[in-house]
């Protein structure tokens, strides 16, 4: 290998090109499944490191004045034209080069603005999409916030990104912003009311009406439970004459993926009708939402005829901490995965039926048992309060899309006690089995880092050691060093 600076970097670039050509031409059939998985992980990490390399070259182009020499004022336009990339890609490279690199400012070397993100990127732990999601959250933190809290938020979101996907970072960021600004300085209730609105455009030549707008958290909390039921595959399908328009006509709720044992013949038959309709349903989610809203607004429908969904009446369930309620600050969570300010939650709950769920230090309900296989309404409410959604690591399905799962299976002697119950969405529930590719659930032991929480043991192709994992998608885990006002590590309920 050459030791000279310029020849060395050129040598590495040439070697990278040769390696890529080899990857394109070399056959994969001779590799085992484990080898293919290992190589995919290794290449993904290398791709992510290359993002830092791209940023280095973007920074070098600007430092050398190459855009000005080419008669182009903007380094973004220079990269866009020179490399034939999109304006979005070029802008991201220039922006990230300034924030994630050590920049020379005269004789002074300025360290990265976001050192934790920069380190994770150079290590290949996070992708460009992760970086964009983290920075988007950090940019919304007010300048007046304590710098230590800003750094804590950066580290927290970066750590979360190292084990989750970009969508999860965005959702975790919502809670980070809520605790970085608990009094709503960024966007107060008054601001949300000012921004609210639904715009319906003029009818087009094809007869369709364009629609756009913003719903307040309160209206979203009321609407989304209805969509969870009536926009479910198989429901309210105008192209299917046998599609049920209300589950009241079937005499069941809309949880069709649960085990049919212990159910009467009429209920089993009704569930079969809805399952068959779901298999015939090829609509997109947007189309299902449209058809659900149309059905909801029909004269024979309305809020009083929504029926049940997954064992609960179709309604908004809002979870909040007692301390937040007393102090009128903080954030409440809905059963559809949304959030409300405490002020909005109090307004929404003014005419509701309150429930009090008492949990232990690990965030689990103290006790609530039942002698039957199916969970009771009260148990589902308790799980909604403490789990908020599916507990499989990385899953963001809210409570309205989750089934109640026995951590120790009912068939294996597991009781329908709250300590043995958790949430799993339909897709994740189907992955729990005793086969070689199946997941397994356990209650994390008292001497673990997450006592009492639901642990999911992955199959060997994901983790050969089969170490149990905990989902923090609904409850981002943010450490709070001494003296820094951080986010609670326990559940928000």
């Amino acid at each position: 290998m050459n030791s000279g600076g310029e020849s060395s970097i050129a040598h590495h670039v040439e070697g990278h090109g040769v390696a890529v050509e080899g990857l394109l031409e070399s056959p994969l059939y001779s590799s085992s499944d484990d080898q293919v998985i290992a190589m995919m992980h290794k290449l993904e990490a290398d791709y992510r490191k290359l993002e830092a390399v791209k940023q280095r070259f973007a920074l070098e182009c600007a430092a050398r004045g190459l855009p000005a020499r080419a008669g182009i004022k903007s380094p973004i336009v220079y990269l866009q034209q020179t490399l034939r990339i999109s304006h979005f890609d070029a802008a991201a490279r220039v922006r990230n080069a300034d924030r994630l690199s050590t920049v020379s400012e005269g004789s002074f070397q300025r360290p990265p603005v976001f050192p934790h993100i920069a380190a994770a990127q150079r290590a290949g732990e996070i992708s460009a999409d992760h970086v964009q999601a983290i920075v988007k959250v950090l940019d919304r933190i007010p300048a007046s916030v304590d710098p230590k809290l800003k750094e804590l938020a950066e580290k927290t979101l970066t750590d979360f990104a190292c084990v989750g996907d970009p969508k999860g970072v965005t959702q975790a960021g919502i809670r980070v912003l809520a605790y970085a600004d608990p009094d709503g300085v960024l966007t107060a209730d008054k601001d949300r009311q000012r921004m609210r609105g639904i715009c319906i455009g003029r009818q087009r030549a094809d007869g369709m009406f364009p629609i756009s707008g913003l719903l307040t958290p309160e209206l979203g909390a009321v609407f989304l439970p209805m969509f969870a039921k009536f926009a479910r595959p198989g429901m309210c399908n105008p192209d299917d004459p046998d599609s049920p328009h209300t589950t009241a006509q079937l005499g069941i709720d809309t949880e069709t993926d649960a085990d049919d044992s212990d159910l009467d013949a009429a209920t089993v038959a009704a569930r079969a009708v809805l399952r068959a309709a779901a298999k015939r349903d090829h609509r997109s989610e947007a189309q299902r939402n449209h058809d659900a809203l149309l059905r909801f607004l029909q004269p024979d429908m309305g809020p009083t005829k929504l029926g049940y969904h997954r064992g609960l009446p179709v309604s908004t369930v809002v979870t909040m901490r007692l301390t937040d309620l007393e102090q009128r600050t903080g954030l409440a969570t809905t059963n559809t995965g949304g959030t409300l300010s405490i002020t909005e939650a109090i307004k929404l709950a003014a005419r509701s039926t309150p429930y009090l769920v008492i949990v232990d230090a690990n965030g689990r309900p103290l006790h609530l048992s039942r002698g039957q296989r199916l969970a009771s309404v009260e148990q589902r409410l308790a799980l909604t309060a403490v789990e908020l959604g599916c507990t499989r690591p990385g899953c963001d399905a809210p409570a309205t899309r989750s089934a109640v799962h026995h951590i120790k299976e009912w068939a294996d002697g597991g009781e329908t006690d709250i300590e043995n119950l958790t949430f799993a969405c339909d897709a994740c529930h189907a992955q729990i089995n005793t086969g070689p590719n199946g997941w397994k659930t356990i209650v994390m032991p008292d001497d673990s880092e997450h006592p009492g929480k639901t642990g999911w043991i992955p199959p060997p192709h994901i983790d050969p050691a089969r170490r149990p994992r905990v989902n923090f998608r609904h409850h981002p885990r943010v450490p709070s060093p001494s003296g820094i006002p951080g986010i609670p590590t326990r559940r928000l309920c």
Side-chain angles (χ1 to χ4, degrees):
M1 179 180 293
N2 296 324
S3 58
E6 184 177 354
S7 59
S8 176
I9 190 67
H11 177 78
H12 291 316
V13 171
E14 182 64 27
H16 172 73
V18 173
V20 171
E21 289 295 331
L23 290 171
L24 288 172
E25 300 298 332
S26 300
L28 290 172
Y29 61 82
S30 60
S31 303
S32 67
D33 292 349
D34 290 340
Q35 288 174 328
V36 169
I37 294 171
M39 286 188 290
M40 284 197 301
H41 281 294
K42 177 65 170 64
L43 285 173
E44 184 62 31
D46 290 340
Y47 299 153
R48 293 172 177 182
K49 292 177 183 178
L50 279 175
E51 291 298 327
V53 176
K54 294 176 184 178
Q55 291 158 199
R56 282 192 65 196
F57 276 92
L59 197 65
E60 185 69 15
C61 285
R64 294 184 178 216
L66 297 184
R69 250 187 277 169
I72 301 173
K73 294 182 179 180
S74 169
I76 295 175
V77 176
Y78 177 79
L79 290 179
Q80 184 180 356
Q81 294 181 356
T82 303
L83 302 178
R84 294 182 291 109
I85 58 178
S86 69
H87 181 84
F88 178 85
D89 189 357
R93 293 189 195 187
V94 171
R95 183 171 57 248
N96 290 338
D98 182 63
R99 292 177 163 184
L100 306 181
S101 306
T102 299
V103 180
S104 297
E105 296 179 345
S107 60
F108 175 70
Q109 295 287 312
R110 174 173 64 77
V113 177
F114 299 125
H116 299 289
I117 301 176
Q121 186 186 58
R122 289 181 66 90
E125 295 287 341
I126 60 176
S127 67
D129 290 335
H130 284 114
V131 173
Q132 180 187 0
I134 298 170
V135 172
K136 190 173 182 179
V137 174
L138 297 178
D139 283 345
R140 290 184 57 191
I141 297 179
S144 58
V145 169
D146 186 340
K148 292 184 178 180
L149 182 56
K150 285 186 178 180
E151 183 182 359
L152 174 62
E154 180 201 345
K155 183 179 185 306
T156 298
L157 292 173
T158 303
D159 290 345
F160 192 85
C162 289
V163 296
D165 59 27
K167 182 180 178 181
V169 173
T170 300
Q171 293 176 331
I174 294 174
R175 301 185 187 280
V176 169
L177 288 171
Y179 280 91
D181 182 42
D183 297 321
V185 174
L186 283 175
T187 306
D189 294 346
K190 185 176 181 181
D191 296 320
R192 282 188 281 268
Q193 294 299 324
R194 175 178 51 81
M195 292 186 291
R196 78 189 189 280
I198 299 175
C199 298
I200 300 178
R202 292 185 177 182
Q203 189 174 21
R204 305 188 316 186
D206 58 4
M208 304 295 279
F209 289 90
I211 183 172
S212 63
L214 290 172
L215 307 184
T216 61
E218 185 178 358
L219 181 55
V222 173
F223 249 133
L224 290 178
M226 181 274 294
F227 284 124
K229 175 171 181 173
F230 288 93
R232 189 178 169 88
M235 292 288 295
C236 306
N237 188 351
D239 300 323
D240 183 359
D242 297 323
S243 169
H245 283 217
T246 70
T247 47
Q249 67 193 75
L250 295 175
I252 61 171
D253 75 4
T254 40
E255 184 176 3
T256 60
D257 300 275
D259 188 0
D260 285 342
S261 59
D262 300 334
L263 299 177
D264 60 81
T267 301
V268 172
R271 287 189 171 191
V273 170
L274 186 52
R275 285 179 180 140
K279 289 182 179 179
R280 299 190 299 268
D281 193 345
H282 302 293
R283 297 171 297 166
S284 66
E285 182 178 1
Q287 290 171 330
R288 296 199 309 270
N289 286 341
H290 172 278
D291 298 339
L293 181 59
L294 177 61
R295 178 57 191 151
F296 175 72
L297 295 176
Q298 294 297 311
D300 62 330
M301 277 299 297
T304 61
K305 297 183 180 180
L306 290 178
Y308 281 72
H309 175 64
R310 295 191 181 275
L312 290 178
V314 177
S315 58
T316 304
V317 180
V318 178
T319 303
M320 65 186 81
R321 292 174 43 176
L322 181 60
T323 53
D324 290 341
L325 178 61
E326 293 172 340
Q327 298 172 8
R328 298 296 194 271
T329 61
L331 201 66
T333 306
T334 69
N335 54 333
T336 55
T339 57
L340 294 160
S341 69
I342 292 298
T343 303
E344 292 169 320
I346 292 172
K347 186 189 306 181
L348 187 63
R351 296 177 180 147
S352 68
T353 301
Y355 284 81
L356 175 64
V357 178
I358 300 176
V359 300
D360 62 17
N362 298 318
R364 296 290 297 179
L366 291 180
H367 185 69
L368 193 58
S369 104
R370 195 177 193 217
Q372 302 179 29
R373 181 181 65 83
L374 298 180
S376 66
V377 170
E378 292 78 12
Q379 287 173 325
R380 174 168 276 278
L381 281 172
L383 288 175
T384 298
V386 299
E387 302 287 13
L388 299 181
C390 179
T391 56
R392 180 173 174 264
C395 184
D396 63 353
T400 51
R401 296 184 182 179
S402 301
V404 177
H405 164 65
H406 288 73
I407 299 175
K408 180 181 179 181
E409 295 288 355
W410 171 264
D412 297 331
E415 300 291 339
T416 309
D417 295 348
I418 197 66
E419 298 92 339
N420 189 49
L421 300 178
T422 191
F423 270 154
C425 73
D426 299 337
C428 295
H429 206 180
Q431 297 187 50
I432 302 172
N433 60 72
T434 57
N437 296 319
W439 289 72
K440 180 182 178 182
T441 53
I442 63 170
V443 177
M444 299 296 286
D446 292 339
D447 59 352
S448 69
E449 187 180 358
H450 317 295
K453 293 180 172 59
T454 303
W456 287 64
I457 300 176
H461 71 274
I462 293 179
D463 181 4
R466 304 206 72 185
R467 291 163 292 197
R469 304 179 179 186
V470 173
N471 190 11
F472 290 105
R473 182 64 64 87
H474 307 286
H475 313 275
R477 183 175 182 268
V478 182
S480 301
S482 177
I484 301 178
I487 302 173
T489 61
R490 299 303 179 189
R491 289 178 169 83
L492 300 179
C493 54

